[in-house]
Amino acid sequence: MLADPKTLSPPPIAVNTPRRARVWTNSLFLAALFALGVAAGFALLSGALWHWFIIPVLICGILIGGDAIDWVRGRVDLFDPVGIVGLLGLHFFFLAPLLHVYRDYWMPDVAAPPSDWREWLGTMALLNTLGLLVYRLARKGFARSPQPSSHRTFWRLEENRFWIAVSLALVVTAVLQIWIYAQYGGIIGYIATIVDVNGIAATQGQGWLFTLAESFPTFAIMAWAVFAREKKFARSWLVIALVLLAFFMLKLLFGGLRGSRSNTIWGLLSAVGILHFWIRPMPRKLFLVGGVLLFLFMYGYGFFKAAGLEGLKALSDAEARDELIAQTGRNLDYVILGDLGRSDVQAFLLYRLSLPDSDYEYAWGRTYLGGVASVVPSALWQDRPPTKVQAATEALYGAGTFQADGFRSSRIFGLAGEALLNFGLLSVPFAFLIFAFIVSRVRHTLLTLQPYDARSLMIPTFSIFCFIILATDSDNLALFFVKEIAIPFAVLLFSVRVTAPSVATSS
């Protein structure tokens, strides 16, 4: 039985409106008003914002803000990748650079550019402006018109096979996680090992065990969605809240206690998307309120990541919190600009690469090869190519500074930053071109899905993956792809039968 077509939001419908009305309702125009208002507000609050860098940053805000406005106005689906990238990208490209200057907050452990951080923020914003122009234009070029429903395939979930596959997956992943905890003497011992400075070394060679075990919550939410899709009680907001709370706890138990906040946050957003498509549409206000709660979680969980269970005292004890912030630097600026932004890292990288006496040698694609190779078990490939860590360390601190068992940079550079590491300035627009192709393909799939098409169990994760491409590096991307996409998708492929919609409906 198929659901009401309203379960999946249809693509926006073009409506003939007067030209003057179209101007005032144009999303780019509204984004320009918003960006000008925000930039003017920052400039009034701080004289440091009176600098040419604000112009390209403002243009970035307009270009990406148009998609954010479309999302807020409901012109695109809640999990349309264009809307997701626009909403999160508004902070990434626009708010973060302004906040860096306003708060005078910059990445530690590097010698600041002798000229001015703003010079390099502005130069990087010029590159991002070019990249976002390529992204918007190429996205339209790559877009395909939705096929008539009679020509679309439908991935019908064969429930007998699905329950066999997902039950087996749940059992295997649960047993693996229990075994992992047992190795460290239980959950407390596990946490103590991970927080210890030698914790990473203690877990070497177990990457695939962690990856497989941490897939348990994904299988659990997929199983719940399939089970509850036609149950009236499952549409209750109380039930939905309880399900999301249970999923959140599972994400903490399966990977979250390892200090991975992103593992929990992106997983929770994917769970909301699955419920959005399979149980009931989620209101945008809920999404925004959830974003605030997730930000508070990131801030609080940073203390746990830094000091384990002792760090949780900082949540209720102001003195302990101030002491821990002084030791680790994990304040609100760190979360807003360090965790959720890449502006200063990309700007500093651009400065280092532009030095006349720079000794950095471009990686010429090696970081991408190393990122993909990083998910191959070391037992199968002992001499795997290095990830971006070596290139990043030498780009930021000079040739020869990288030490495999010693000094190394853990900075994350994002799409544009890793392109700079590999090929230099001219590669940034090409990186955004590839990015536009991926976003357009995910969006096309979303707009052509029929209700209860099995692929809608994965579409939220693919949409989130689009933003992760923008904000992180190839090694992190490869891990996310394997754990959150490839493993669940393999179970899904075993469980579906591809048919024409007309055949699926008549049967």
Side-chain angles (χ1 to χ4, degrees):
M1 178 179 179
L2 295 181
D4 186 336
K6 293 180 181 179
T7 303
L8 291 180
S9 301
I13 300 173
V15 179
N16 293 324
T17 56
R19 183 176 181 179
R20 182 177 298 177
R22 289 202 302 268
V23 170
W24 287 100
T25 60
N26 182 275
S27 293
L28 279 178
F29 177 76
L30 294 175
L33 291 179
F34 170 80
L36 281 168
V38 171
F42 273 106
L44 290 173
L45 291 172
S46 172
L49 275 294
W50 289 93
H51 188 274
W52 69 265
F53 95 96
I54 202 172
I55 298 175
V57 169
L58 178 64
I59 297 172
C60 286
I62 296 171
L63 290 174
I64 199 68
D67 295 331
I69 295 292
D70 279 337
W71 186 92
V72 171
R73 299 170 74 189
R75 291 190 165 187
V76 297
D77 188 86
L78 190 68
F79 279 86
D80 189 314
V82 168
I84 294 288
V85 170
L87 190 68
L88 300 178
L90 191 62
H91 172 77
F92 192 85
F93 291 107
F94 176 60
L95 295 175
L98 299 179
L99 285 168
H100 272 293
V101 177
Y102 177 70
R103 297 289 300 166
D104 193 25
Y105 178 88
W106 311 102
M107 56 189 291
D109 305 324
V110 295
S115 54
D116 191 331
W117 274 101
R118 295 174 297 180
E119 299 284 340
W120 298 103
L121 278 179
T123 307
M124 192 66 219
L126 287 172
L127 273 179
N128 284 329
T129 297
L130 182 58
L132 288 173
L133 283 170
V134 170
Y135 166 68
R136 289 189 66 93
L137 294 174
R139 201 179 69 206
K140 292 182 178 180
F142 290 133
R144 297 181 183 180
S145 300
Q147 295 177 323
S149 58
S150 59
H151 294 166
R152 301 179 198 168
T153 57
F154 182 84
W155 287 33
R156 172 177 290 280
L157 200 65
E158 297 292 326
E159 293 199 17
N160 289 337
R161 283 190 288 170
F162 172 78
W163 287 116
I164 292 173
V166 80
S167 298
L168 181 61
L170 287 169
V171 170
V172 170
T173 52
V175 169
L176 284 176
Q177 188 63 64
I178 293 171
W179 184 72
I180 289 171
Y181 283 142
Q183 280 189 301
Y184 299 97
I187 294 179
I188 302 300
Y190 173 82
I191 294 173
T193 302
I194 295 298
V195 172
D196 189 278
V197 291
N198 297 319
I200 296 178
T203 60
Q204 287 292 333
Q206 295 182 316
W208 266 96
L209 290 178
F210 288 120
T211 298
L212 290 171
E214 291 167 13
S215 300
F216 180 93
T218 302
F219 293 124
I221 195 66
M222 289 170 61
W224 168 258
V226 173
F227 166 77
R229 59 178 170 175
E230 294 179 356
K231 305 292 191 299
K232 290 184 179 181
F233 76 90
R235 297 174 60 84
S236 162
W237 289 117
L238 176 60
V239 172
I240 289 174
L242 291 174
V243 168
L244 291 176
L245 178 61
F247 180 84
F248 174 73
M249 299 305 295
L250 286 175
K251 290 298 287 185
L252 289 180
L253 286 172
F254 290 81
L257 295 180
R258 206 154 48 89
S260 176
R261 290 168 294 175
S262 60
N263 174 74
T264 304
I265 291 170
W266 299 130
L268 192 58
L269 290 178
S270 294
V272 172
I274 291 173
L275 299 183
H276 170 70
F277 288 128
W278 279 70
I279 305 300
R280 69 178 298 176
M282 300 288 152
R284 286 161 209 274
K285 292 180 181 179
L286 176 65
F287 194 94
L288 294 174
V289 170
V292 174
L293 295 177
L294 288 178
F295 171 77
L296 294 175
F297 164 75
M298 288 185 65
Y299 176 65
Y301 202 69
F303 298 133
F304 170 80
K305 184 174 182 178
L309 295 177
E310 289 295 320
L312 297 181
K313 294 181 180 178
L315 298 179
S316 57
D317 187 334
E319 184 177 346
R321 181 166 60 251
D322 292 340
E323 183 179 349
L324 191 57
I325 288 175
Q327 292 175 358
T328 64
R330 291 180 178 274
N331 53 16
L332 284 174
D333 288 330
Y334 183 95
V335 176
I336 296 172
L337 300 175
D339 288 340
L340 300 177
R342 306 286 179 261
S343 298
D344 57 341
V345 176
Q346 292 182 352
F348 185 78
L349 174 64
L350 188 60
Y351 152 70
R352 289 283 303 171
L353 297 182
S354 302
L355 289 174
D357 58 347
S358 173
D359 56 4
Y360 176 71
E361 297 183 3
Y362 291 112
W364 300 112
R366 290 193 303 274
T367 74
Y368 299 115
L369 178 60
V372 174
S374 66
V375 298
V376 180
S378 56
L380 300 179
W381 192 352
Q382 295 183 353
D383 297 324
R384 294 177 301 186
T387 63
K388 60 97 179 30
V389 174
Q390 180 175 347
T393 305
E394 297 187 350
L396 296 180
Y397 301 100
T401 55
F402 171 77
Q403 299 175 13
D405 298 321
F407 182 75
R408 52 170 52 199
S409 170
S410 59
R411 299 289 176 188
I412 299 176
F413 295 85
L415 176 72
E418 190 167 10
L420 287 172
L421 283 175
N422 283 277
F423 305 109
L425 275 69
L426 296 180
S427 65
V428 172
F430 289 98
F432 277 88
L433 181 68
I434 297 171
F435 177 62
F437 174 76
I438 296 172
V439 170
S440 64
R441 294 304 304 136
V442 174
R443 188 175 201 227
H444 176 77
T445 302
L446 169 65
L447 295 179
T448 56
L449 284 180
Q450 300 294 305
Y452 289 158
D453 187 305
R455 287 171 292 181
S456 59
L457 289 168
M458 297 296 304
I459 278 293
T461 306
F462 273 105
S463 294
I464 292 166
F465 182 66
C466 289
F467 177 74
I468 295 177
I469 292 174
L470 188 66
T472 191
D473 302 330
S474 56
D475 50 348
N476 306 102
L477 284 175
L479 178 61
F480 182 92
F481 184 86
V482 169
K483 182 169 64 175
E484 304 294 342
I485 294 178
I487 294 175
F489 200 69
V491 171
L492 206 61
L493 281 177
F494 174 81
S495 310
V496 299
R497 178 165 56 91
V498 179
T499 64
S502 56
V503 175
T505 304
S506 62
S507 62

